[in-house]
Amino acid sequence: MVDFAGDWKLHKSEKFEDFLKSIDVGMLKRQAAKLISSEHHITQDGDKMSVEVIATGQKGKHQEYTVGGTFGETEITGDVTEVSTEWDGDKIKETHKCAAFTYTLVRELQDNDTMVLHLDSPKGTQCKRVYKRM
């Protein structure tokens, strides 16, 4: 089983603004999101995950879940989503569902020092967020 534990800092994003636009995030929030640096502080015990997300100038979030289960969170749009999780080989797939949209996020380790989040919007817009180990 892959171990995502560690401290990760956003290194680069590809098509993040396009992804946000595809889930109807307004222009001002999209512009602000481009400027934000984020960190993920992850602890993992088997299937149990704890992810603390810290974003400069924004309210952070804390996710605690067991892979194979669900949890709730509030998206950047303000929508409350139900997030279902599952293992997909060595990756964790999250499906975020709310009344307005559904999207997927796949977390994978590219190597020991690189974690990649792949986001796929309901309109087919794909985004990649690359994090480096701190």
Side-chain angles (χ1 to χ4, degrees), residues 1-132:
M1 174 182 295
V2 67
D3 187 359
F4 290 94
D7 297 325
W8 305 91
K9 185 170 182 70
L10 181 64
H11 175 67
K12 69 177 180 175
S13 289
E14 298 173 9
K15 298 186 178 181
F16 186 52
E17 186 177 3
D18 293 340
F19 173 80
L20 294 175
K21 187 175 182 180
S22 74
I23 60 169
D24 297 325
V25 174
M27 184 183 68
L28 292 177
K29 282 188 179 179
R30 289 196 317 267
Q31 293 300 316
K34 288 190 324 186
L35 303 174
I36 293 172
S37 177
S38 71
E39 297 176 1
H40 287 209
H41 301 278
I42 301 174
T43 56
Q44 179 179 350
D45 182 13
D47 289 340
K48 293 184 181 186
M49 303 291 294
S50 174
V51 182
E52 184 78 29
V53 178
I54 300 170
T56 55
Q58 297 287 311
K59 181 178 140 187
K61 64 181 175 179
H62 186 83
Q63 303 168 328
E64 294 233 11
Y65 61 92
T66 300
V67 179
T70 62
F71 65 94
E73 76 173 12
T74 302
E75 299 290 339
I76 191 171
T77 59
D79 293 290
V80 176
T81 60
E82 179 180 273
V83 183
S84 60
T85 63
E86 65 182 324
W87 285 106
D88 183 6
D90 284 344
K91 303 171 187 175
I92 297 175
K93 180 180 179 183
E94 299 178 6
T95 302
H96 296 240
K97 293 182 183 179
C98 69
F101 55 82
T102 299
Y103 74 89
T104 59
L105 180 151
V106 176
R107 183 184 305 271
E108 73 170 325
L109 289 182
Q110 198 168 57
D111 58 46
N112 285 338
D113 294 319
T114 309
M115 178 177 70
V116 180
L117 304 183
H118 301 272
L119 294 94
D120 194 357
S121 81
K123 296 177 182 171
T125 304
Q126 296 179 333
C127 165
K128 184 160 76 169
R129 311 255 296 159
V130 179
Y131 290 78
K132 293 291 188 178

